[in-house]
Structure formats: C-alpha cells, structure tokens
Amino acid sequence: SKGGIAKGKLGGSVKPGILLKDARVADYDAVVFIGGGGATVYLDDPVAHRIAQEAAQQNKLLAAICVAPAILARAGVLRGRKATVFPDAAPELKNNGALYTGAEVEKDGNLITGSGPQASVEFGRAVAAALTQ
C-alpha cells in the first residue's frame, strides 16, 4: 500500500513492483490475498475490497489464506460460497454469508481459501493447479 521495502515477519524483504491502489485486476490471471497479522489492515480497506470484487466479477481465480479470507468476506464475495479461514476468523465468514467448512483448503469454483500456515503447501498447489487448467 506504500512504496519502499516491504519486510516480512521472518526477516525477508522485497521491493513491491506496484502499489495496491494501482493494480488493475484485468492485467492478472489470479488475485491471491496472503494472510498473517499484517493482512488485518486490509479487512476494511476499500481498495482491497474493490480488487476482490473485480476479480469475482471478472471470473478470475480468487484465493486467500490464513486471516485473508476475512477480507474477501467483508468485500462481499464469499456469500453463498464454501470457504475456510484461520479458525479465529471463522465468525467473519459466517457473519458475511460464507459457507464456512473448516477445511484446511477449500475450493469452490474459481475461489480457493486456506486455513493457515499449516495449509500453505496444499493451498499453493491448489492455486498452481487452478492456474494450469
């Protein structure tokens, strides 16, 4: 959401190539929201919500893991869809109309959600498989 170097929880760093506000969903095959504590700043972020909504409207692959499916829920794109999330955030999905399953990874059409770090490998494989279909 801002320029400069982004630093990860475990010390990794990366210089983002684009600001979130400048992302055009039409330019991508998929939109993936990654969770963790830092992702909570996007729960009520209108830019994140717009991106999720546009991805859903454009029938793009839309994925989120850990707490990030709560961003999708608040954006309104999980209503009536099977989804999972980090267990602490399950009420967010339920309260926003998602069909919470509690699975490690849930796939519902072009929507893939993962429950947390323990599901990251399976989640990554599901996203990669969906991109090759």
Side-chain angles (χ1 to χ4, degrees):
S1 60
K2 58 185 175 182
I5 301 296
K7 295 188 180 195
K9 178 180 178 180
L10 301 178
S13 62
V14 64
K15 184 173 186 338
I18 188 171
L19 293 177
L20 191 63
K21 69 177 182 66
D22 297 328
R24 291 177 26 91
V25 171
D27 293 343
Y28 300 94
D29 293 327
V31 173
V32 182
F33 288 83
I34 304 301
T40 60
V41 301
Y42 297 105
L43 287 173
D44 291 314
D45 185 274
V47 175
H49 290 188
R50 174 191 57 80
I51 290 170
Q53 292 161 353
E54 287 180 11
Q57 290 164 355
Q58 294 175 29
N59 209 26
K60 302 278 185 171
L61 175 62
L62 181 58
I65 188 169
C66 197
V67 71
I71 300 166
L72 305 184
R74 287 195 183 182
V77 299
L78 296 186
R79 281 188 192 96
R81 307 283 303 271
K82 290 188 297 181
T84 194
V85 69
F86 194 76
D88 292 352
E92 283 287 343
L93 270 63
K94 295 174 185 175
N95 292 339
N96 286 287
L99 306 174
Y100 174 70
T101 68
E104 291 291 307
V105 173
E106 189 64 63
K107 186 170 189 310
D108 184 344
N110 61 344
L111 173 70
I112 301 172
T113 50
S115 63
Q118 76 287 352
S120 61
V121 172
E122 184 183 351
F123 175 79
R125 287 183 179 141
V127 170
L131 285 169
T132 60
Q133 292 177 348

